[in-house]
Amino acid sequence: MDFNELSAITDEIEQIRKTYELFDEEYRLNRSKAARVEFLTTVHYIEKYLQPRAKILDIGAGAGEYSLYFAQKDHRVCALELSPANIAAFRKKLTPELPVELVQGNATDLSRYADESFDAVLLFGPLYHLHSETDRQRCISEAKRVCKPDGKLFFAFIGNDMVFLTEFGYRPDYFTNGDFDKTSFALTDFPFVFHTVPECRRMLLDGGIRILHEVASDGASELLAERINAMDEENYAAYLRWHWYICEKPEFLGMSNHLLFVGEK
Ligand SMILES: C[S@@+](CC[C@H](N)C(=O)[O-])C[C@H]1O[C@@H](n2cnc3c(N)ncnc32)[C@H](O)[C@@H]1O
């Protein structure tokens, strides 16, 4: 499977499954200090709201990075994932004593879960994979339905605007030959679906979500990867403190590959 074969797949669900035969999701968030910034920032926000032994639903759980982390902290986790490759990577790390129930499924249909049954619902993946707004709104509506009235919802997006700078780091001709509309600067939605900050905000408001935080979850970490990866622990901790100081500033939000929105219903 290569990118040409992937782009030729017309069935969207099949295309998402095959995407993760190409991308190694298992190490995306833990392969380096720079890659870890997104994970640590996201956990920092989730933990602001978690009570002990919370019930968490991880939708689009990937290879289980968040599910396993929270299960190890004695929270009870249900995880739903579409891709067989990611489920296999996740299962490899599951041990019988961990309170994780992992199933294969689609985020647009959470009918296996009861109304108002989770304290925290994580939707980290489907909103940057599904092309139709109707499907994305179905995911948001299902996530809301299963979230308790006082629960919190966490949404991840891939930002449209930072990709230019990170891709330019790999391809000197990106601004002339990159895959985006040369007038509007909208990226071509393949293999991911990209959104600007106002588009993310609009999507969640249309879905009836009250937004509590808008967060640049990884910020400049991919651009600065070499320097961040060379940091000792003390400097890395100080970098993270700065990142968390700046990551909700409106003037910084668009300059992040990943965006985290925290909300409630
Ligand atoms: C980049 S991975 C992120 C994994 C993990 N949630 C994280 O944040 O690290 C995106 C995940 O969303 C999953 N996904 C995409 N669309 C989905 C859908 N409609 N239903 C369930 N999972 C989906 C993909 O298979 C993939 O594992």
Side-chain angles (χ1 to χ4, degrees):
M1 176 69 50
D2 60 23
F3 273 96
N4 285 334
E5 290 170 297
L6 190 63
S7 67
I9 299 173
T10 50
D11 180 82
E12 180 177 57
I13 297 303
E14 187 56 15
Q15 194 186 63
I16 296 170
R17 290 190 174 127
K18 294 285 184 197
T19 297
Y20 290 94
E21 292 178 14
L22 275 180
F23 283 91
D24 186 356
E25 185 55 26
E26 191 171 353
Y27 300 106
R28 187 177 72 84
L29 293 171
N30 57 30
R31 75 171 93 88
S32 67
K33 284 191 168 85
R36 203 74 182 145
V37 172
E38 178 188 341
F39 176 82
L40 294 173
T41 303
T42 303
V43 164
H44 173 74
Y45 277 89
I46 297 171
E47 287 184 335
K48 278 182 197 283
Y49 292 103
L50 280 190
Q51 300 298 322
R53 287 190 54 73
K55 232 184 134 199
I56 300 174
L57 177 61
D58 186 3
I59 310 167
E65 201 67 15
Y66 291 99
S67 290
L68 293 164
Y69 172 86
F70 287 114
Q72 278 152 7
K73 299 246 158 183
D74 209 26
H75 298 294
R76 293 154 296 156
V77 179
C78 290
L80 178 129
E81 169 54 47
L82 196 61
S83 135
N86 289 351
I87 290 177
F90 191 156
R91 278 208 197 285
K92 260 191 344 203
K93 293 182 245 167
L94 264 181
T95 50
E97 75 282 0
L98 281 177
V100 178
E101 190 189 297
L102 169 61
V103 296
Q104 183 164 23
N106 189 332
T108 54
D109 173 12
L110 302 180
S111 53
R112 69 180 75 234
Y113 304 115
D115 292 359
E116 305 191 341
S117 50
F118 292 97
D119 301 293
V121 180
L122 321 184
L123 191 54
F124 297 162
L127 298 182
Y128 57 77
H129 274 286
L130 295 169
H131 286 77
S132 111
E133 177 66 17
T134 308
D135 285 343
R136 292 193 295 264
Q137 286 299 341
R138 203 167 288 144
C139 293
I140 295 169
S141 157
E142 278 289 81
K144 264 176 71 186
R145 179 184 63 74
V146 300
C147 186
K148 290 181 183 173
D150 59 349
K152 296 290 175 280
L153 296 119
F154 301 84
F155 305 92
F157 299 93
I158 303 186
N160 186 84
D161 297 343
M162 180 65 156
V163 171
F164 293 84
L165 293 186
T166 46
E167 284 299 310
F168 178 52
Y170 304 112
R171 288 181 51 185
D173 70 338
Y174 189 74
F175 286 95
T176 41
N177 291 326
D179 222 353
F180 61 91
D181 183 290
K182 301 298 179 295
T183 308
S184 67
F185 293 97
L187 296 169
T188 303
D189 284 332
F190 170 79
F192 303 106
V193 177
F194 304 93
H195 295 98
T196 61
V197 172
E199 286 167 350
C200 301
R201 192 177 292 139
R202 171 55 41 216
M203 192 191 310
L204 296 180
L205 293 176
D206 286 350
I209 299 293
R210 202 169 80 79
I211 296 170
L212 302 171
H213 303 277
E214 301 179 348
V215 183
S217 42
D218 48 1
S221 63
E222 190 171 342
L223 272 188
L224 300 178
E226 218 176 300
R227 280 167 183 259
I228 294 173
N229 292 337
M231 282 172 167
D232 60 19
E233 293 308 320
E234 186 187 354
N235 274 288
Y236 186 60
Y239 174 80
L240 273 181
R241 280 197 299 279
W242 170 79
H243 178 66
W244 293 347
Y245 152 73
I246 205 171
C247 67
E248 284 195 60
K249 287 185 183 278
E251 63 272 28
F252 189 70
L253 269 182
M255 288 291 100
S256 185
N257 283 321
H258 291 86
L259 294 157
L260 169 71
F261 278 61
V262 183
E264 57 190 11
K265 46 189 199 173

